[in-house]
Amino acid sequence: MNHKMLYEKMLPALRNGGFKMEDYWVWCGSVVKGEDNRYHMFASRWTKDLPMHPGWLVASEIVRAVSDTPEGPYQFEEVVLPSRGAEYWDGRSTHNPQIVKHKDTYILYYMGSTHPFKDVSSDEQFDLNDPRCIVARSNKRIGIATSKSIFGPWERLDSPILQPRPSKFDNFFTSNPAPCIHEDGSVLLVYKTRTYKSKPYPTFLHSFQMSFGVARASHYMGPYKALSEETIFPSEKFNLEDPFIYQVPGGYEMIAKDMTGNISGEYHGGIIARSKDGVKWEALEGQKSYTRMIKWDDGAEQVMGSLERPFILFEDNEPTHMFFATADGPGEFTNAVNTWNMVIPLKRN
C-alpha cells in the first residue's frame, strides 16, 4: 500500500457511524466480519462514574457490538471479557482488543491487568497517584482469548503470552498488541512497552518515552518470544504508541500514533513505517498515515481532541475503512466529555 494513498484515501466520516454508549467511555475499536456476514466490533468500555483516564486501568472491559455495514452504527451486544477476580492476571481490566480470524478460529488479542485492592467506587477520587492505578499500570500484560464462533464462548489463558523482560528495555509492562497472523498460523507481534526507571512515582512515567518491541510465535497459541534487544525505533527521537501492522508485498507496514509530531509532522497524527522482516523498521519522516483533521459527511471539518488506536479493515486484501478511538474537547484525555469509536471510509481502488 502506498503510504500517501492511505492518508489521501480518507473519505468523510459518518456522523451516525461507529459505536458509542451513553453512560460509558468507549475506546479501542477493532472489527471483523462474522460467520453471520455482519460486522462485529470489539471495543473497550468503562463506566463514566470513573474518570476517562486512568479509569480504564482498573475498570475497562471488552465488549462486542454489531452492524450490518462496516460504517455502523454499531449496537452493543455483550460483554466479551468481563472482570473475573483480582487473582487472575487480567482480572480487573481488559483493554486494547484486536480481533483476528485465522481459518475457523477467532483470536482476540488484548491487554489485561489486575491489582489486589478494593474496587474504585464512584464517590472516590481516582488519579495517577492512586495505588490501584500504580499497581494496575505495572501489571499490564498482553494475552489472547479464542473462539470458534464470533458469539463465543471465549477461552482465556491462565497466563499472558508476553511478559516483560527484567534486563531489557521492555522491563515494565507489555500492552497495545499489534498482531499479524500469517497463512501458516505463525505470528509477528509488535507491542508497546515502557522501561522502568527508579525515579519516584509518578514522575518516572513522564521522564521517558514509550517504545515498541517485536515478538514472534510459530503458532498464535504461543509460545511468543521477544526478538528485539533494542526498541524498534530509537527512543531518544521516537515517542509512539498504538501500533497497527499489516502485510504488504515484500514485507510489512505499520501505522502508529506520533506522540510529539516530530516524525509525521502532526502532533498526535499518524506515522507510517516499513519493514522487510518485521524486526527492523524504517519510519518515513515527514509522511503521515492519518490526520486528526476530520471531514464529516455533513460538510463540517473538525480537529478531534483525540484520534487513537488506529485499525484498518481489509476486505479482499484491500483497505476499506479506518477505525479510531476518538474524543471531543480540545485535546488530551482529561478534557474529554465523550469518547466513542469512529469510522472513516477509504476510497476504493
Side-chain angles (χ1 to χ4, degrees), residues 191-304:
Y191 58 96
K192 184 182 98 171
T193 186
R194 286 188 191 261
T195 306
Y196 177 80
K197 298 196 175 183
S198 57
K199 291 184 179 181
Y201 190 89
T203 53
F204 81 86
L205 278 179
H206 307 288
S207 67
F208 61 98
Q209 297 176 314
M210 293 177 280
S211 55
F212 294 162
V214 62
R216 284 194 190 277
S218 58
H219 189 268
Y220 56 78
M221 292 302 292
Y224 287 76
K225 179 176 174 55
L227 301 178
S228 37
E229 294 299 310
E230 304 290 338
T231 61
I232 286 180
F233 304 107
S235 57
E236 61 273 9
K237 181 176 182 181
F238 289 77
N239 190 6
L240 308 171
E241 70 168 354
D242 296 345
F244 177 84
I245 66 171
Y246 47 93
Q247 277 188 288
V248 293
Y252 305 87
E253 285 188 352
M254 174 197 302
I255 61 176
K257 177 188 169 189
D258 190 348
M259 297 297 290
T260 62
N262 65 324
I263 305 301
S264 67
E266 179 182 335
Y267 178 74
H268 287 183
I271 68 135
I272 183 82
R274 287 178 174 156
S275 174
K276 290 182 178 177
D277 61 3
V279 179
K280 294 180 179 177
W281 290 83
E282 181 184 1
L284 305 180
E285 295 197 40
Q287 303 288 351
K288 67 177 75 173
S289 54
Y290 60 86
T291 175
R292 286 167 59 210
M293 172 61 81
I294 297 302
K295 294 179 181 176
W296 293 101
D297 57 354
D298 59 11
E301 292 191 355
Q302 180 181 0
V303 177
M304 303 307 296

Side-chain angles (χ1 to χ4, degrees), residues 41 79 180 197 274:
M41 178 185 288
V79 178
C180 181
K197 298 196 175 183
R274 287 178 174 156

